[in-house]
Structures are given as C-alpha cells and as structure tokens.
Amino acid sequence: MTLIRQLRPALVIFGFLSLLTGLLYPLSMTAISIVLMPDKAAGSLVHDGKRTVGSVLIGQNFTQSRYFHGRPSATIGADPADPTKSVPTPYNAAASMASNASPTSKVLVDRVAAALAQVRAENPEAIAEGWPIPMDLVTTSASGLDPDISPQAAFFQVKRIARARNLPEERVRQLVEHMIAHPLMGWLGEPHLNVMELNMALDSLHR
C-alpha cells in the first residue's frame, strides 16, 4: 500500500508532463506557426507557377554546366539494384547526415581531391585567371542538405554560366550581386545565396 501511494504522484506527474510536452506544446506551436508563418510552417516550398520545385531549406543536385552548383552532399540511400547496400544520393532529405570522416581519413581526402578536380574541369576560365577555389564547392556541410553557397562560390562560377548560356558575363555577375542575402541586421550570419532561387532567377534572365 505504501508503494502504491509513493508511485501514484510520480505516475500522475509523468502523465501530465507527457501530455503537456509531448502533445499540447507541439500542437500549440504548430498552430501558432501555421497562423503567423504559413509558408515556413508548410516547409518553405518554392513554386514555379503551379508547380512545386523544391524548398529553400533543402539543396538540390544541379549538375548541368548552365546552372550554379551547390555544396557537395554526403547523404546516402538504398541501392536500387540491391536494397541491402547504400549508394551516394546527394541531397537525400530522408537521410540528412555528414560524412563524419576525420581530417586524416583517406576517404575524405580522396573525396575532396575528386571534388577539386571536378571543379577545375568545369571552370577552366576561372582557374586560368587564378581564382581560388571556394571551400564550400569541395566540402560537404553537416546536414548534407545545405541549400546555400557563399558569394565567392557563386562568382567563381559566373564565367562558366555565361559561356554555357551565351550571356554577357557582367549580366550574370549583376544577377549574383542582386541575389546575395546579407547578414540579418548587418551582423547576424554570413552573406549567402540560395542556389535554387539563384538558378530560377537565372532561367528567368535567360528567357
């Protein structure tokens, strides 16, 4: 009987806190978000007319030379040919992760070396002019889903974009400058560009 009297308050408190923090609080925060920030609550989706093309929060694997490229992604997924194995699936939102490889890892060194070689091959004009390769074009982010790049990474790709689209280089450079998101209040965060929004603006410019 004494044990029951001791357990009852603990169980009541446990049930109350479970209901409060596990159900009522999440539901109330979700409801407030939907009312005050409906777009963000719905996933910050981006639309091209009536078509949903992605989210500003999740990067996409742009590979064509006519588009700006984002950061490499270390996310993986199931191999379609053999579900028991994993294969690289860039920007797999269901498997947000970093590589967790140490700085001395041969796998990491080889992956960065491959990324460097690819960036050099894709951007010969920038390399010929002595542009330093931005770090965010050859290293993955902690989430593997980073949708943004630095202004330096965008400017580095301008010559390739202009050549691929037969556009004046200055036009493309002006677009990059216009699309830069500056730090909040001038100091919070770093200047960056959302790659998907930048490429959508690029398509509009080209049209």
Side-chain angles (χ1 to χ4, degrees):
M1 201 67 176
T2 302
L3 180 61
I4 294 177
R5 284 201 302 267
Q6 291 175 340
L7 283 176
R8 183 177 295 140
L11 292 174
V12 170
I13 293 173
F14 174 76
F16 171 75
L17 291 178
S18 297
L19 180 65
L20 177 65
T21 61
L23 184 63
L24 297 179
Y25 177 77
L27 287 177
S28 62
M29 290 298 101
T30 300
I32 291 172
S33 299
I34 291 174
V35 172
L36 298 181
M37 300 174 291
D39 291 338
K40 292 183 178 180
S44 299
L45 300 179
V46 177
H47 305 279
D48 184 6
K50 295 183 178 180
R51 185 169 61 100
T52 301
V53 296
S55 167
V56 295
L57 304 176
I58 300 174
Q60 295 189 24
N61 192 29
F62 293 99
T63 57
Q64 296 182 36
S65 60
R66 62 199 304 269
Y67 286 114
F68 287 94
H69 299 170
R71 295 190 71 168
S73 173
T75 57
I76 59 175
D79 186 346
D82 186 354
T84 64
K85 298 180 180 179
S86 297
V87 293
T89 52
Y91 301 102
N92 180 4
S96 175
M97 62 178 293
S99 67
N100 291 329
S102 73
T104 58
S105 168
K106 185 178 185 303
V107 173
L108 176 62
V109 172
D110 290 346
R111 185 171 67 244
V112 171
L116 280 168
Q118 181 177 345
V119 169
R120 289 192 179 101
E122 292 174 344
N123 302 274
E125 300 95 340
I127 296 299
E129 291 190 6
W131 282 69
I133 297 178
M135 185 67 70
D136 50 331
L137 288 183
V138 297
T139 58
T140 62
S141 66
S143 68
L145 307 176
D146 193 348
D148 304 322
I149 55 174
S150 65
Q152 292 80 8
F155 285 126
F156 181 84
Q157 301 178 69
V158 163
K159 292 181 179 297
R160 186 194 77 237
I161 302 293
R163 168 172 50 85
R165 290 180 177 260
N166 196 28
L167 286 170
E169 185 178 320
E170 187 58 29
R171 239 359 238 293
V172 182
R173 187 177 301 277
Q174 289 174 354
L175 176 66
V176 171
E177 292 174 347
H178 175 72
M179 295 293 293
I180 294 175
H182 295 281
L184 185 63
M185 297 183 291
W187 60 272
L188 186 60
E190 295 290 334
H192 62 276
L193 298 97
N194 184 276
V195 179
M196 181 173 59
E197 291 182 336
L198 178 59
N199 283 331
M200 290 179 66
L202 184 62
D203 280 342
S204 297
L205 177 67
H206 195 239
R207 285 194 294 264

